[in-house]
Amino acid sequence: MGIVGNLTPQQRQSFDSQGFLVIESFASPAEIEAMRKRMDGMLQAFDPTTTASIFSTKNQVKLTSEYFYESAEKISFFFEEKAFDDNGNLKQPKELSINKVGHALHEIDPVFKEFSCSEKVSSLLFSLGYKKPVIIQSMYIFKQPGIGGEVTPHQDNSFLYTEPKTCTGLWLALEDATVVNGCLWAIPESQKNGLVRRFIRGDDGVYFDRPSPSYDQKEFVPIEVKAGSLVVIHGDLIHQSFENQSSNSRHAYSLHAVDTDGCKWAEDN
């Protein structure tokens, strides 16, 4: 049996056509356990009084801060919008209040670095046509029970732009992801319509260069996967996830890669 990350011609054709691909059993139970155990340790050591940074895809412009900027080279903790009461106090334990941890897990932490830089991840990227792939960011996403926030329709190339466009998302399910606990949804073949808008960092902060289009929710299909499955996401694919209103979390580890061969990283990302 070959390397898990090596795509077959059929898989590559499916990805090019649909804009996403599900690879079952990409991560082993041992790898999943190692990453979840490591994150448990990080949360135990985290002091929530050191930051009140909230992550939101609805109010990114308003809520973006220096803490978020600096997270590109650090391991930072971001709370759910609904984690706090009117007095600014956590309504539940910190372990159930965090939206995500990012964005340099793949560089700083040995456990996450081992998976992120594994042969199967690099083989997958080479199978997609990358020449000199680089993981540009990583996130551990919790999708907390009851308060796990919505991620509005978006394209990854909007945020991680290169010329030409090369961003690919790698979304690893660390728990089963279902329509009940907030799995991914996508519009198949939407990547063929190109990039809709960019999220730009300027002198006065960050902003989208144009309004978001309105999408027909009937066009989205759910991507329900078992723990260990990897969802490969084209940078121009329109995708989203809904709030988690269930009693079960939906942990995932997400990576984004870009090519560095013949590609220019946009300075206003």
Side-chain angles (χ1 to χ4, degrees):
M1 182 177 179
I3 301 295
V4 175
N6 284 341
L7 297 183
T8 66
Q10 293 78 13
Q11 286 176 314
R12 179 62 194 270
Q13 182 180 11
S14 178
F15 175 76
D16 290 340
S17 172
Q18 297 298 302
F20 66 92
L21 176 70
V22 175
I23 305 175
E24 297 180 351
S25 302
F26 188 86
S28 69
E31 288 173 317
I32 295 172
E33 182 181 6
M35 286 187 276
R36 294 196 61 180
K37 186 176 180 179
R38 177 62 183 136
M39 185 51 63
D40 285 343
M42 289 184 184
L43 286 176
Q44 291 299 322
F46 170 61
D47 180 359
T49 63
T50 60
T51 177
S53 185
I54 297 171
F55 182 78
S56 168
T57 60
K58 292 182 178 180
N59 300 298
Q60 280 172 318
V61 174
K62 182 175 72 174
L63 297 173
T64 297
S65 63
E66 285 303 316
Y67 184 80
F68 187 83
Y69 287 147
E70 294 172 357
S71 71
E73 298 176 354
K74 297 181 179 180
I75 297 176
S76 304
F77 297 76
F78 301 90
F79 290 100
E80 289 284 359
E81 283 187 273
K82 296 181 179 180
F84 300 91
D85 61 22
D86 294 338
N87 297 318
N89 299 312
L90 290 177
K91 294 188 290 185
Q92 57 280 310
K94 61 182 179 180
E95 295 83 4
L96 297 176
S97 303
I98 296 293
N99 170 287
K100 69 173 184 175
V101 176
H103 290 91
L105 287 164
H106 64 289
E107 290 185 340
I108 296 175
D109 184 80
V111 173
F112 289 96
K113 185 175 184 178
E114 182 177 2
F115 176 82
S116 306
C117 300
S118 64
E119 185 177 2
K120 58 186 172 185
V121 171
S122 61
S123 294
L124 170 60
L125 293 172
F126 287 131
S127 292
L128 289 172
Y130 281 76
K131 296 177 181 178
K132 290 185 178 179
V134 169
I135 303 295
I136 205 71
Q137 73 171 18
S138 52
M139 298 177 285
Y140 191 108
I141 306 167
F142 295 84
K143 206 72 165 181
Q144 301 286 6
I147 64 169
E150 172 188 9
V151 177
T152 55
H154 67 281
Q155 299 166 296
D156 293 335
N157 273 328
S158 294
F159 306 92
L160 304 168
Y161 186 77
T162 62
E163 296 179 352
K165 296 174 295 181
T166 61
C167 182
T168 298
L170 306 178
W171 192 94
L172 178 70
L174 299 177
E175 295 182 296
D176 293 353
T178 69
V179 294
V180 178
N181 70 358
C183 70
L184 295 175
W185 293 69
I187 301 179
E189 301 187 22
S190 57
Q191 83 284 358
K192 297 178 180 178
N193 298 323
L195 186 61
V196 173
R197 61 179 183 163
R198 285 193 57 207
F199 192 62
I200 295 173
R201 180 177 182 175
D203 294 336
D204 299 323
V206 293
Y207 59 94
F208 283 105
D209 61 356
R210 63 193 65 182
S212 173
S214 58
Y215 297 102
D216 184 351
Q217 291 297 324
K218 294 179 181 179
E219 295 184 23
F220 285 87
V221 298
I223 307 176
E224 293 187 296
V225 294
K226 294 291 185 181
S229 297
L230 183 76
V231 185
V232 186
I233 303 170
H234 189 285
D236 280 348
L237 183 77
I238 305 292
H239 60 290
Q240 65 177 351
S241 66
F242 296 107
E243 289 186 348
N244 179 7
Q245 299 179 344
S246 77
S247 59
N248 298 313
S249 58
R250 190 227 63 190
H251 289 199
Y253 181 52
S254 175
L255 299 169
H256 289 96
V258 298
D259 209 341
T260 59
D261 187 319
C263 303
K264 182 180 179 181
W265 175 257
E267 295 181 359
D268 57 356
N269 277 333

